[in-house]
Amino acid sequence: MSQVAAWGAPRPGAPLEPLFIARRSPGPRDVAIDILFCGVCHSDIHQVRDEWGAGQYPMVPGHEIVGRVRAVGQDVRGFAPGDLVGVGCMVDSCRTCGPCQRDLQQHCHSGPVWTYGSALADGSGTTQGGYSAAIVVDQDFVLRIPPGLDPAGAAPLLCAGITTYSPLRQFGCGPGHRVGVIGLGGLGHMAVKLARSLGAQVTVLSTSPAKQADAAQLGAHAFVCTREEGAFTRHAGTLDLLIDTVSAPHDYNAYLGLLGVHGAMALVGVPPQPAPLQAFALIHGGKRIFGSLIGGIAETQAMLDHCAAHGITADIERIDIRAINRAYERVLASDVRYRFVIDMASLPSHPEAR
Ligand code: NAP
Ligand code: ZN
Ligand code: ZN
C-alpha cells in the first residue's frame, strides 16, 4: 500500500481539494502507472455533485487517464516499465458473465468496477480516480496508447472518444450517412472528428452560435444553431443518425424530428432528470432511440488504434490541478474548447513535480 497525492471532493458538491489516497501494492497481474494527464469529463462533475445519486465521498474523480508504466507484476504480459498507457472508466469486471465474455465489460451483470466510486472487494473503501499521481490497475483493463498520439490530447479518448466511437460503430456509420451531433462539448467534438473519419456527412446541432467556426475546423460540414427560430422545421427529416451528448434537460421529441425514415438517435449524454418522450415522435418515420455506455476494452483499444491511424486526438486546454474548480464552472457554462486536461506534474508531490 502507498499513499499518493490527489484532488477530490470531501462531500457531495464540495469544491475539490488536495488530499492523499491509498493505492494497493501491485499484485502479480497489476500494472503500476504514474499518471501524466487526466481529462475532465462532465460525468466527473455530475458525480462530484451527486447528481446521479449513490456517490461515495471523499471522491477523487477522473477516468481519462494517460500515464507511464512504473512497474509490472510477474504475470503481466504486453506491458513493461516506461510504456505509455491509458485507463478509462473501468478497472475490472466479473469476467465470467455473458456481457464480459462478449467483451462488453461496461454491461457486466455484477456491474463493472468503475475507476472511481466503486466499492473495493476487501471492504476498505471505494476506488479512486485519475486526479491523482498514480494508479494500480489489472493488466486486462490497461490500454496501449499507440505511438504518434500526443499523450495529453489522447487522454480524452479514454472516455469521450470511446463513448462516441461505439454508437457510430453500432449504427454502422460510413460514407453516405448523415450524422448530427447534438452539443459541441467534450463528447460532441470527438463525435464530429470520429464521424468525419468514418466518411459521414456531419452536422453540428448546438445552442452556442459562437462555436460555428470551430465546428467547421473540427471537420463538420454544416452547423445548425438550435436556438434559432425555425431551426427544427427547416432541418426536419435531414439526418440518419443523431449522437446526443447533451448533459442538461432538453426536448428529445424536437431532435427526433430531424431524423429521416428509419433514422436512429443514440443517447450518450446523461441529464440528471427524466424527460418526456412522445410515442408519435418515434412512430412517425419508424425511428429508433438507443442508449450507449462507453465501450468494452477491446473496442476501446480499436478506437485508440483508429485514432492513431487517422491522426485524431482531442482539442484540449491543459490546466494545472489548482485550476480544477474554475474549470468545472467553465464546463457547466458550455465554455470549454473542447476538453480540459489536467497536467498531473502540477500535483505538488508528483514524481515529475516541477
Ligand atoms: P460537455 O463538455 O459539458 O458538453 C455538453 C454540451 O452539451 C455542451 O458543450 C453544450 O454544447 C450542450 N448543452 C449543454 N447544456 C445544454 C442544454 N441545456 N441544451 C442543449 N444543449 C446543451 O460534457 P461532456 O463531457 O461532453 O459530457 C456530455 C454528457 O455525456 C454528460 O451528461 C456526461 O455525463 C455524459 N457522458 C456519458 C457517457 C456514456 O457512456 N454514455 C460517457 C461520458 C459522458 P453547445 O454549446 O454546443 O450547445
Ligand atoms: Zn467520462
Ligand atoms: Zn461480468
Side-chain angles (χ1 to χ4, degrees):
M1 202 75 99
S2 61
Q3 295 287 315
V4 304
W7 274 54
R11 54 187 178 278
L16 273 55
E17 60 181 45
L19 44 81
F20 281 86
I21 53 173
R23 294 295 190 200
R24 67 174 182 261
S25 307
R29 300 176 44 82
D30 280 337
V31 179
I33 301 162
D34 289 328
I35 299 177
L36 299 172
F37 299 103
C38 186
V40 176
C41 179
H42 205 121
S43 301
D44 298 343
I45 304 176
H46 288 306
Q47 290 178 88
V48 159
R49 298 179 160 214
D50 209 15
E51 290 177 349
W52 297 342
Q56 299 290 319
Y57 302 84
M59 177 189 285
V60 174
H63 57 210
E64 293 184 339
I65 299 167
V66 165
R68 220 169 261 295
V69 175
R70 179 170 23 94
V72 297
Q74 64 200 31
D75 297 340
V76 170
R77 300 285 171 267
F79 296 106
D83 286 356
L84 196 63
V85 293
V87 179
C89 299
M90 303 179 283
V91 288
D92 213 338
S93 70
C94 87
R95 296 153 191 258
T96 57
C97 73
C100 280
Q101 292 196 340
R102 288 162 54 213
D103 258 325
L104 297 168
Q105 297 86 355
Q106 74 275 32
H107 300 306
C108 174
H109 285 162
S110 327
V113 179
W114 299 112
T115 302
Y116 62 91
S118 280
L120 291 167
D122 64 5
S124 65
T126 53
T127 53
Q128 300 288 10
Y131 298 5
S132 59
I135 192 167
V136 177
V137 179
D138 184 283
Q139 61 178 337
D140 293 341
F141 286 76
V142 178
L143 287 308
R144 288 179 307 282
I145 303 297
L149 286 183
D150 169 59
L157 302 179
L158 277 307
C159 177
I162 183 60
T163 301
T164 49
Y165 179 84
S166 184
L168 288 166
R169 285 296 200 193
Q170 288 170 56
F171 183 81
C173 175
H177 284 133
R178 301 162 301 172
V179 175
V181 175
I182 314 177
L184 196 60
L187 266 57
H189 95 291
M190 288 312 310
V192 170
K193 292 187 186 207
L194 290 166
R196 176 79 197 233
S197 73
L198 293 169
Q201 192 75 15
V202 185
T203 299
V204 167
L205 303 151
S206 170
T207 60
S208 307
K211 294 181 182 173
Q212 178 156 9
D214 289 348
Q217 253 175 7
L218 292 164
H221 302 86
F223 180 91
V224 175
C225 175
T226 49
R227 289 222 168 112
E228 236 169 56
E229 204 169 322
F232 285 94
T233 36
R234 259 199 313 284
H235 300 280
T238 58
L239 299 167
D240 303 306
L241 172 66
L242 285 166
I243 306 282
D244 183 344
T245 76
V246 175
S247 51
H250 57 293
D251 182 5
Y252 294 128
N253 306 291
Y255 288 96
L256 284 166
L258 300 174
L259 290 173
V261 170
H262 291 173
M265 176 167 177
L267 294 189
V268 293
V270 192
Q273 299 85 8
L277 185 62
Q278 285 158 15
F280 275 131
L282 288 172
I283 289 171
H284 287 302
K287 296 164 190 174
R288 296 186 284 138
I289 189 163
F290 67 101
S292 194
L293 177 64
I294 48 171
I297 294 296
E299 192 176 35
T300 305
Q301 189 64 58
M303 176 275 309
L304 288 166
D305 296 344
H306 173 91
C307 287
H310 292 264
I312 296 175
T313 51
D315 284 23
I316 63 161
E317 183 174 334
R318 241 192 228 210
I319 58 166
D320 185 297
I321 187 70
R322 284 163 293 202
I324 188 66
N325 292 306
R326 172 82 191 112
Y328 275 21
E329 293 307 321
R330 284 185 52 198
V331 172
L332 288 166
S334 299
D335 176 28
V336 50
R337 304 283 192 280
Y338 278 89
R339 199 58 143 185
F340 290 112
V341 171
I342 307 163
D343 182 347
M344 270 326 145
S346 62
L347 262 182
S349 55
H350 188 281
E352 293 183 14
R354 286 183 284 257

